[in-house]
Amino acid sequence: MKFTVEANTPGSAARAGKFITDHGSVLTPIFMPVGTIGSVKGVHMRELRDDINAQIILGNTYHLYLRPGLDILERAGGLHKFNGWERPILTDSGGFQVFSLSGIRKLTEEGAHFRSHIDGSKHLFTPEGVVDIERTIGADIMMALDECTPGTADYAYARKSLDLTLRWLQRGWDRYKSTEGKYGYYQSYFPIVQGCVYPDLRREAAQRVAEYEADGNAIGGLAVGEPVEQMYEMIEVVNEILPQDKPRYLMGVGTPANLLEGIDRGVDMFDCVMPTRNGRNGMIFTRNGIMNMRNLKWANDFSPLDEGGASWVDEAYSRAYVRHLFVSGELLAMQIASIHNLAFYLWLVGEARKHILQGDFATWKPAMLENVTRRL
């Protein structure tokens, strides 16, 4: 995997770049739609490719491991063949999903013991085993197994958690370096920086992670309960240390404002379920602000969903019609909202990239930030 920084911008840590995988290249900064079980909910691969112009999507190791299972994925030739997506795929390690199963999991030195949310069966994720699982899934970018520390954790817990994550990282790295992919193409392995909201722990983690000289690095354990100001502070702390010549991935974040603030602080890659999950519940993100499509105010508004928007659905459907679909419980409403919100997120990071290349990101960002956070 090759990453190139194409431009920096005055007055900001934002940068435009490009990384190349065996399934294609990705221009950064980039937002990656979340395809938890091998699909982005309610969105066809054709729409992801042609209408939304997604350059890379995510798969979820925990969910894919449980269903459809590794045997089926291997017989299919990997997730790319199984779901028909020909562009790059990134898989998380399942660490966050195990973290979210607080009542039915236990962390030990060996790994993460948990029960399936599907049938209650017992399973174990080890650092080595997760590498093997992600090899079988066939992701272009695989993530290391970590413990996602709650944002409200005290220092003693965060210290203990980070030490475990770093020991797991060494074991996962050793397995990664001693194995090869199953399907004839190269797979990258990204370490994850943890450390909760404690700057000294974050610095230590970033320094340890940087020593691996991996193809890229991730920042995890943010947007999990801590104040947003602390999240931004931790990004700055970490990005002062992580290598400049490797992509930086902020995991599971977030709102349009989070994307802009993250880009401003040197983040290259983002993912979040927000555009699809919130879209299915009637929240539409636009370049002029946020709309709740169930509100009565849209009932007689026949203007486009988002005039001049990033997807064909923005001009094809009026606000009044989309509201009608939502209040009627029509499934098409959720599909329209998902396509629109994903297209908007991709448009937003694309606009950020354009202004980084032009050198005026620092002056463009404040006005755009005000627009995208406005409630309409």
Side-chain angles (χ1 to χ4, degrees):
M1 177 177 167
K2 180 181 179 182
F3 176 68
T4 304
V5 176
E6 298 176 321
N8 298 101
T9 189
S12 169
R15 72 258 191 91
K18 178 180 181 179
F19 65 84
I20 301 172
T21 77
D22 285 348
H23 282 99
S25 60
V26 176
L27 301 177
T28 63
I30 190 63
F31 179 82
M32 302 177 287
V34 177
T36 302
I37 58 171
S39 69
V40 177
K41 288 186 186 298
V43 182
H44 290 289
M45 294 299 175
R46 174 183 53 78
E47 292 162 336
L48 279 172
R49 183 184 64 247
D50 299 337
D51 301 327
I52 296 168
N53 193 29
Q55 299 175 55
I56 176 173
I57 63 173
L58 264 68
N60 186 287
T61 294
Y62 166 86
H63 288 282
L64 291 168
Y65 160 80
L66 291 176
R67 191 166 52 193
L70 301 183
D71 289 344
I72 289 176
L73 287 169
E74 187 163 10
R75 287 201 296 270
L79 184 57
H80 290 89
K81 296 285 182 64
F82 188 59
N83 70 2
W85 180 253
E86 298 176 347
R87 295 178 181 178
I89 295 175
L90 180 149
T91 46
D92 61 17
S93 65
F96 180 78
Q97 282 67 42
V98 172
F99 156 77
S100 68
L101 299 171
S102 57
I104 51 175
R105 54 89 168 164
K106 179 182 179 182
L107 302 183
T108 67
E109 191 67 36
E110 184 182 12
H113 302 257
F114 63 94
R115 288 184 178 273
S116 165
H117 72 285
I118 299 170
D119 60 11
S121 57
K122 294 181 180 180
H123 302 270
L124 170 64
F125 273 2
T126 67
E128 299 86 354
V130 164
V131 170
D132 297 342
I133 292 168
E134 292 185 271
R135 289 286 197 194
T136 299
I137 294 171
D140 299 273
I141 301 175
M142 311 185 300
M143 306 305 301
L145 180 65
D146 64 335
E147 180 187 0
C148 180
T149 313
T152 55
D154 61 31
Y155 187 89
Y157 184 93
R159 169 80 268 173
K160 181 180 178 181
S161 174
L162 175 59
D163 289 344
L164 180 63
T165 288
L166 292 174
R167 292 194 296 272
W168 281 358
L169 172 59
Q170 183 62 60
R171 288 167 53 191
W173 180 259
D174 290 343
R175 177 60 67 92
Y176 168 69
K177 297 298 287 186
S178 66
T179 57
E180 295 182 357
K182 297 175 180 288
Y183 311 115
Y185 54 83
Y186 180 76
Q187 295 175 280
S188 294
Y189 185 74
F190 282 20
I192 303 172
V193 176
Q194 290 289 349
C196 197
V197 295
Y198 303 104
D200 62 322
L201 296 184
R202 287 284 176 178
R203 290 190 185 95
E204 177 186 341
Q207 289 164 354
R208 292 282 298 278
V209 159
E211 292 172 359
Y212 286 90
E213 299 183 349
D215 292 328
N217 301 293
I219 306 169
L222 293 176
V224 286
E226 80 285 355
V228 68
E229 295 79 11
Q230 284 189 313
M231 177 176 73
Y232 296 147
E233 178 189 356
M234 293 306 101
I235 295 171
E236 292 175 6
V237 166
V238 168
N239 280 348
E240 287 176 358
I241 298 169
L242 290 181
Q244 295 283 331
D245 61 345
K246 303 292 176 65
R248 302 161 177 157
Y249 165 31
L250 179 59
M251 305 181 72
V253 180
T255 66
N258 294 157
L259 267 61
L260 292 174
E261 296 289 5
I263 292 168
D264 198 11
R265 290 162 171 80
V267 174
D268 306 294
M269 303 165 63
F270 303 85
D271 81 283
C272 191
V273 297
M274 181 170 284
T276 47
R277 178 177 292 170
N278 288 31
R280 294 193 302 273
N281 287 290
M283 180 178 287
I284 298 288
F285 299 98
T286 78
R287 64 192 66 201
N288 294 309
I290 303 168
M291 297 187 293
N292 180 346
M293 298 313 298
R294 297 181 185 276
N295 286 350
L296 183 61
K297 67 185 296 183
W298 310 120
N300 291 292
D301 187 339
F302 302 104
S303 59
L305 189 59
D306 186 17
E307 191 163 5
S311 171
W312 64 271
V313 299
D314 301 325
E315 297 291 339
Y317 302 112
S318 71
R319 297 174 179 183
Y321 179 65
V322 174
R323 178 188 181 274
H324 158 68
L325 295 179
F326 269 109
V327 298
S328 302
E330 171 54 51
L331 294 177
L332 180 59
M334 295 185 280
Q335 186 176 23
I336 291 170
S338 296
I339 293 171
H340 162 79
N341 281 349
L342 288 173
F344 169 75
Y345 268 56
L346 268 294
W347 173 85
L348 184 63
V349 295
E351 285 293 294
R353 173 183 167 82
K354 181 177 76 174
H355 286 279
I356 293 168
L357 292 171
Q358 292 175 182
D360 64 350
F361 174 85
T363 55
W364 168 82
K365 176 201 156 191
M368 181 54 62
L369 187 61
E370 181 179 354
N371 285 351
V372 300
T373 55
R374 183 185 300 125
R375 292 280 177 167
L376 299 178

